[in-house]
Amino acid sequence: LTRLRLRLPGDAAGVVVLDVGEGVEGLRPGDLITAVNNSAVTSPSDVATQVKAASKAGRKNALVQVRRGETTAFLTIPVDVG
């Protein structure tokens, strides 16, 4: 997927969601994950690291900051899905 197709500005940084696993509500393909647990992410491995950290800390969910078009939102995702 291209930035143009997703309508992302050239300076947008994060991880584009291509597919959403079962049990994850709120995320959509094309969303741009910009942070997990208040830590900026720029690669899928950054997302995985933050989700694993939440799990190790005993949390059931990870806080995800998502950019969708011109809107930014916070969602929670279950850490066992990450």
Side-chain angles (χ1 to χ4, degrees):
L1 298 175
T2 66
R3 288 183 177 275
L4 181 62
R5 186 170 164 203
L6 295 173
R7 298 181 189 152
L8 296 173
D11 64 347
V15 179
V16 176
V17 175
L18 298 178
D19 189 28
V20 179
E22 187 176 322
V24 178
E25 295 187 24
L27 280 179
R28 298 180 193 164
D31 285 350
L32 181 71
I33 299 174
T34 57
V36 179
N37 299 329
N38 295 315
S39 294
V41 295
T42 58
S43 69
S45 63
D46 290 346
V47 174
T49 296
Q50 290 301 318
V51 170
K52 287 177 189 172
S55 180
K56 282 186 177 183
R59 297 187 197 134
K60 293 182 181 181
N61 296 294
L63 180 66
V64 178
Q65 184 176 358
V66 174
R67 183 171 179 173
R68 182 179 298 149
E70 297 296 319
T71 304
T72 298
F74 288 92
L75 308 169
T76 58
I77 61 168
V79 295
D80 61 350
V81 176

